[in-house]
Amino acid sequence: DAGVTQSPTHLIKTRGQQVTLRCSPKSGHDTVSWYQQALGQGPQFIFQYYEEEERQRGNFPDRFSGHQFPNYSSELNVNALLLGDSALYLCASSLELQQFFGPGTRLTVL
Amino acid sequence: DAKTTQPNSMESNEEEPVHLPCNHSTISGTDYIHWYRQLPSQGPEYVIHGLTSNVNNRMASLAIAEDRKSSTLILHRATLRDAAVYYCILRDPRSSDGLTFGKGTHLIIQP
């Protein structure tokens, strides 16, 4: 089992651009959550996808959007990038109470 | 999810037990206590969870106070690979919200 995988590993963008991050959940997991982790902070919940729909959302603006595909993989899109969007973006898939995290995508906005 | 309070950092020696405390005085009756850890340059990793009774697994033990207002994660014999940030998180299983992470406890292991 490959576990949760994310791509790309690192990404550099400039202010105002748009970015798409990708996540493949652990085999058999149908729920995917996305988190943003700023340097020195704990991860912050962005949103969760289940059955191809956004089921719950944290305190993030509409610039952050997502999608889940029939194979349960997911994308996180961020529009109109700001310097403050620089962070580690983590994807997690879940089975019952336990969440399994990927290694994250490090996004740098210049 | 209810708030938890953890020390910012703790230090321990290799091969000694480590007790990581967590206070959660506003815990509700349906909240489970979860512990995750995050090793350097990795995503968080599940450690253990419990509701009322103490729990053991291959990674750690979780001791839960009788009134459930505090808990302690116990690493029985710390190794250098246990150096990480440890997060104590409360979660109601009925909720579809994500995990609410605080700043956690940065555990330093001295050789």
Side-chain angles (χ1 to χ4, degrees):
Chain A
D1 184 1
V4 179
T5 59
Q6 293 186 244
S7 63
T9 307
H10 295 86
L11 203 51
I12 299 175
K13 292 285 188 179
T14 56
R15 281 180 297 173
Q17 285 189 312
Q18 178 264 344
V19 68
T20 298
L21 311 181
R22 295 176 177 80
C23 171
S24 292
K26 198 171 166 63
S27 177
H29 290 190
D30 58 8
T31 302
V32 173
S33 301
W34 286 92
Y35 294 79
Q36 179 195 67
Q37 186 172 24
L39 208 57
Q41 305 294 318
Q44 300 299 305
F45 173 67
I46 302 175
F47 43 52
Q48 182 180 91
Y49 275 83
Y50 173 70
E51 292 189 343
E52 302 180 49
E53 291 197 359
E54 183 181 295
R55 181 160 69 172
Q56 200 62 244
R57 189 178 184 92
N59 189 24
F60 278 81
D62 292 344
R63 296 187 298 110
F64 290 77
S65 64
H67 189 76
Q68 186 178 33
F69 299 94
N71 67 353
Y72 306 133
S73 67
S74 177
E75 287 182 350
L76 164 66
N77 300 294
V78 186
N79 293 322
L81 284 167
L82 304 174
L83 295 179
D85 294 332
S86 294
L88 180 68
Y89 288 85
L90 295 159
C91 168
S93 68
S94 50
L95 178 65
E96 297 177 345
L97 294 181
Q98 186 177 341
Q99 292 202 5
F100 294 81
F101 286 81
T105 294
R106 172 71 63 187
L107 172 65
T108 301
V109 182
L110 302 177
Chain B
D1 292 329
K3 185 180 169 70
T4 62
T5 304
Q6 299 177 253
N8 289 333
S9 65
M10 290 183 64
E11 199 167 311
S12 183
N13 295 319
E14 198 175 10
E15 299 187 7
E16 289 186 356
V18 179
H19 291 236
L20 296 165
C22 181
N23 288 319
H24 30 78
S25 58
T26 58
I27 190 171
S28 75
T30 53
D31 284 333
Y32 278 73
I33 302 159
H34 293 248
W35 284 82
Y36 282 75
R37 73 179 185 180
Q38 188 170 19
L39 279 63
S41 302
Q42 295 188 27
E45 171 189 35
Y46 167 83
V47 177
I48 201 167
H49 76 275
L51 182 61
T52 55
S53 304
N54 294 344
V55 184
N56 300 295
N57 66 21
R58 62 174 182 82
M59 289 181 69
S61 295
L62 176 60
I64 301 172
E66 197 169 332
D67 63 6
R68 300 208 327 124
K69 293 186 177 183
S70 66
S71 61
T72 302
L73 179 71
I74 302 166
L75 307 179
H76 294 285
R77 196 163 167 267
T79 70
L80 295 177
R81 288 173 294 177
D82 291 321
V85 178
Y86 287 78
Y87 298 98
C88 169
I89 299 167
L90 303 183
R91 188 150 192 266
D92 186 332
R94 301 169 300 177
S95 169
S96 55
D97 286 344
L99 299 173
T100 300
F101 289 82
K103 290 192 174 183
T105 295
H106 184 198
L107 177 63
I108 300 164
I109 304 295
Q110 297 289 354

